[in-house]
Amino acid sequence: TSPCGQYVVAGGSGNCYIWSLSQKGLLLNIWKSHYGPVTCVRFSECGQYVITAGMDGIVHAYPLVDLLVVGGTDNIQQPMHSWSEHDLQVTDLCVL
């Protein structure tokens, strides 16, 4: 859940999902984030970014505002930044 309490994000088989709680759980967007399963999705402490991690060993950071596309499905979202130096899967995140 976002720090403001308005959004929920989750990950699955390479895709990430964002819902609006203020719009009765409306699914806002589905986007391809990783080549394999998504292992972790977190909001930044300020709530302006969504950080994802996956079995592919990659971590992505997305501006929240870029993900708020009502009715978006199978969108290709470009991350603001990616970290791919991991040799193994990334299974958890600590976002400050």
Side-chain angles (χ1 to χ4, degrees), residues 1-9 19-25 43-47 64:
T1 305
S2 63
C4 67
Q6 291 186 357
Y7 305 103
V8 171
V9 292
W19 292 269
S20 171
L21 296 178
S22 62
Q23 296 178 42
K24 299 182 181 180
F43 281 96
S44 62
E45 191 173 291
C46 66
L64 175 62

Side-chain angles (χ1 to χ4, degrees), residues 23-78:
Q23 296 178 42
K24 299 182 181 180
L26 176 66
L27 178 61
L28 297 176
N29 195 353
I30 302 169
W31 74 98
K32 183 77 172 165
S33 183
H34 292 273
Y35 298 112
V38 177
T39 57
C40 190
V41 182
R42 300 270 190 268
F43 281 96
S44 62
E45 191 173 291
C46 66
Q48 294 182 21
Y49 305 98
V50 173
I51 317 299
T52 68
M55 296 285 281
D56 56 9
I58 299 173
V59 174
H60 294 300
Y62 299 91
L64 175 62
V65 67
D66 290 354
L67 304 176
L68 302 179
V69 180
V70 177
T73 58
D74 296 325
N75 288 317
I76 298 174
Q77 299 290 334
Q78 295 300 319

